[in-house]
């Protein structure tokens, strides 16, 4: 069974930095992508960043503004999110998500997504 375990959250002052980690295990997919998605108090889900595993292609949400960096360690099957210049608006539960395509027939594929339980980031003075 796919397992995603986030860590690294905590309390930090505005302008500070944190590094989140997501350790993945329990699967043998040929290729997949991993993403960070966050949910601020009282708000909906917001996509933050994504990285493809084999090709290493990286994408960021518009609200990040160059402050965050996503990376991966293939040997450890772990994805990281380095967060700098943190703002109070960054306060949220940060979730790790794994996405992969499963072929159901010659013509069709199905998107499969797996979620971690999240880690809380609080930015406050």
């Amino acid at each position: 069974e796919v397992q995603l375990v986030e860590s690294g959250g905590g309390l930090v002052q505005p302008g500070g930095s944190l590094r989140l980690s997501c350790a993945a295990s329990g699967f043998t997919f040929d290729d997949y992508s991993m993403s960070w998605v966050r949910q601020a108090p009282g708000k909906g889900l917001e996509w933050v960043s994504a990285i493809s595993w084999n090709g290493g292609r990286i994408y960021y949400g518009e609200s990040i503004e160059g402050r965050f960096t996503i990376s991966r360690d293939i040997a450890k099957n772990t994805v990281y999110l380095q967060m700098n210049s943190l703002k109070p608006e960054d306060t949220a539960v940060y979730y790790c998500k794994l996405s992969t395509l499963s072929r159901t027939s010659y013509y069709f594929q199905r998107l499969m997504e797996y979620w971690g339980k999240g880690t809380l980031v609080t930015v406050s003075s």
Side-chain angles (χ1 to χ4, degrees), residues 12 20 26 49 52 56 99 114 119:
V12 64
L20 306 183
S49 184
S52 63
S99 302
Y114 305 88
T119 183

Side-chain angles (χ1 to χ4, degrees), residues 27 31 65 70:
F27 60 91
D31 199 11
E65 302 175 351
I70 191 170

Side-chain angles (χ1 to χ4, degrees), residues 20-35:
L20 306 183
S21 299
C22 174
S25 62
F27 60 91
T28 57
F29 305 126
D30 291 335
D31 199 11
Y32 50 95
S33 65
M34 296 186 71
S35 304

Side-chain angles (χ1 to χ4, degrees), residues 36-83:
W36 289 98
V37 182
R38 67 185 182 184
Q39 185 170 33
K43 298 184 178 180
L45 295 171
E46 178 188 15
W47 177 71
V48 175
S49 184
I51 185 169
S52 63
W53 211 249
N54 290 347
R57 295 187 176 275
I58 294 173
Y59 306 89
Y60 293 104
E62 294 182 355
S63 64
I64 303 306
E65 302 175 351
R67 298 178 296 116
F68 295 0
T69 302
I70 191 170
S71 62
R72 75 196 197 282
D73 187 326
I74 296 177
K76 296 182 178 180
N77 215 31
T78 299
V79 65
Y80 305 94
L81 185 67
Q82 178 66 47
M83 305 187 295

Side-chain angles (χ1 to χ4, degrees), residues 1-7 21-23 36-37 39 45 92-98 114-120:
E1 183 175 350
V2 176
Q3 294 183 346
L4 303 173
V5 181
E6 302 99 330
S7 62
S21 299
C22 174
W36 289 98
V37 182
Q39 185 170 33
L45 295 171
V93 176
Y94 284 72
Y95 298 95
C96 178
K97 182 180 72 173
L98 185 154
Y114 305 88
W115 294 74
K117 296 187 180 299
T119 183
L120 177 62

